[in-house]
Amino acid sequence: MKWLLFIILGWSFAEATWGWTYHYSNNTMTWYMARKWCQEHFTDMVVIQNQTENDYIVSILPNRTNSPYYWIGLTKEHINETWKWVGNNSTWVGEHSWAENEPNNNHITAFCVEIYINSGQNRGKWNDENCAKNKSPVCYKAQCNDSSCVKGSCWETLNSTACLCTDGYEGDKCQTAVQCPPLPQPSNGNYSCSKEGQIFNSTCHFKCHLGFFMIGSSAVTCAANGHWTGPRPVCTSYKQALLAVAGCGALCSFFCICFCCIRHRKKKKRAQDRLVLHREPEDATSPPSDVNGGTSGNTLTP
Ligand code: CA
């Protein structure tokens, strides 16, 4: 939705969408004076973030039959620099933003950009120009202000503004801290939290009743992702702990004995196998007995 906002002394009016409002002057001035005029009366010289915004601005500015056209907030200081938008330093340039054969960098020290608003083929296209030339300013007025987003930054585009919340906050205005799941009271203990509601950045400290001691961290904090930084600790009695340790010790001993037995058996079997292997070659090399019970081969007799 757009609507006519106001007329200031006959030389400026604005059309707006939800989000930024756009303003221009019919007076002409250098690029630097144009920016100053925008900053004094509105927020800054217009910043175009995409082709849709470019098309929209073209649609609201009155046609000119020839130069001077309108200054926009795109500039650089040196010929080899990247073009940057005032205010947010973005470097967006559309694939078809420049007019044919532009930017031609015809200027040595001043690099500013005008937008053609006419009925010709280059309507809505950009041209790099000498900043000292006189053209009409196009400005924007931001709708975001300090109270737009409680815990976040306000982001404006055509037809919309939105809050980009910092970690740990949510809601249209980033006004609500992220909440963690409620912590149940531990058995045989209690806890207290630094903030009500167990919300982001709230730290809960646990204590065990007399006769019980704590297993685990004594404090957990609600993180930005809505989860606690660790598990809730457990309060246990010394008697239970001793029984647990004893049980654990017995279990460990049992497994240790089993392990030693198995290892011992394996070791014994390997030793027996080695003994058998050593005996077999001796049997293989011993001479065969003859049929008469003597040894084969020649027998030397005196
Ligand atoms: Ca040019």
Side-chain angles (χ1 to χ4, degrees):
M1 186 176 69
K2 54 185 179 181
W3 65 93
L4 191 66
L5 280 185
F6 53 85
I7 298 175
I8 303 174
L9 301 176
W11 44 249
S12 173
F13 75 92
E15 287 202 31
T17 59
W18 208 87
W20 289 355
T21 56
Y22 297 99
H23 309 255
Y24 68 92
S25 171
N26 284 322
N27 292 347
T28 61
M29 53 197 88
T30 67
W31 187 91
Y32 302 104
M33 290 302 296
R35 187 177 184 195
K36 189 179 174 192
W37 185 84
C38 286
Q39 290 173 329
E40 284 176 357
H41 295 88
F42 308 103
T43 300
D44 209 333
M45 193 174 277
V46 71
V47 174
I48 301 173
Q49 302 173 111
N50 51 55
Q51 191 59 44
T52 304
E53 288 184 1
N54 195 83
D55 294 343
Y56 179 75
I57 289 162
V58 172
S59 74
I60 64 171
L61 293 174
N63 263 5
R64 300 262 166 96
T65 52
N66 49 41
S67 190
Y69 293 104
Y70 299 88
W71 286 126
I72 59 175
L74 188 62
T75 185
K76 61 181 180 179
E77 293 183 2
H78 303 288
I79 193 166
N80 293 326
E81 281 185 349
T82 303
W83 291 100
K84 282 185 182 175
W85 292 96
V86 297
N88 63 7
N89 283 332
S90 72
T91 56
W92 178 83
V93 172
E95 197 176 337
H96 305 292
S97 295
W98 294 105
E100 193 174 354
N101 299 323
E102 303 293 349
N104 54 7
N105 292 307
N106 275 346
H107 316 291
I108 298 170
T109 57
F111 303 93
C112 296
V113 176
E114 69 173 337
I115 185 168
Y116 293 130
I117 304 295
N118 55 29
S119 53
Q121 288 185 342
N122 59 10
R123 174 178 169 79
K125 304 287 186 184
W126 304 346
N127 169 40
D128 62 330
E129 262 284 28
N130 187 331
C131 303
K133 288 190 176 179
N134 290 325
K135 300 177 190 298
S136 296
V138 185
C139 321
Y140 78 94
K141 184 174 176 57
Q143 302 302 298
C144 289
N145 54 48
D146 292 343
S147 61
S148 297
C149 304
V150 179
K151 291 285 185 180
S153 55
C154 189
W155 179 257
E156 294 190 65
T157 60
L158 189 64
N159 293 329
S160 71
T161 62
C163 290
L164 301 177
C165 299
T166 54
D167 285 347
Y169 291 89
E170 57 191 3
D172 292 344
K173 292 189 168 189
C174 306
Q175 74 280 16
T176 307
V178 169
Q179 192 157 18
C180 281
L183 279 173
Q185 288 287 350
S187 298
N188 308 313
N190 54 43
Y191 69 85
S192 60
C193 300
S194 59
K195 294 180 182 178
E196 281 188 22
Q198 301 180 5
I199 56 176
F200 170 57
N201 258 346
S202 174
T203 298
C204 298
H205 296 272
F206 290 81
K207 285 182 180 175
C208 293
H209 295 156
L210 197 63
F212 294 85
F213 73 96
M214 191 176 295
I215 298 175
S217 174
S218 64
V220 292
T221 300
C222 182
N225 60 5
H227 293 100
W228 295 102
T229 52
R232 189 181 51 146
V234 174
C235 291
T236 187
S237 69
Y238 291 96
K239 186 180 175 183
Q240 285 174 329
L242 283 173
L243 284 172
V245 168
C248 184
L251 204 60
C252 288
S253 300
F254 172 75
F255 281 116
C256 188
I257 290 167
C258 288
F259 176 74
C260 290
C261 285
I262 292 168
R263 196 174 173 191
H264 178 71
R265 282 187 179 184
K266 282 184 177 178
K267 197 174 177 182
K268 191 175 176 183
K269 189 170 186 312
R270 277 200 298 271
Q272 287 173 342
D273 290 346
R274 275 200 300 273
L275 197 62
V276 170
L277 283 172
H278 278 103
R279 281 180 179 172
E280 280 178 351
E282 289 174 10
D283 295 343
T285 54
S286 59
S289 302
D290 62 14
V291 291
N292 299 318
T295 57
S296 63
N298 298 326
T299 303
L300 296 176
T301 52

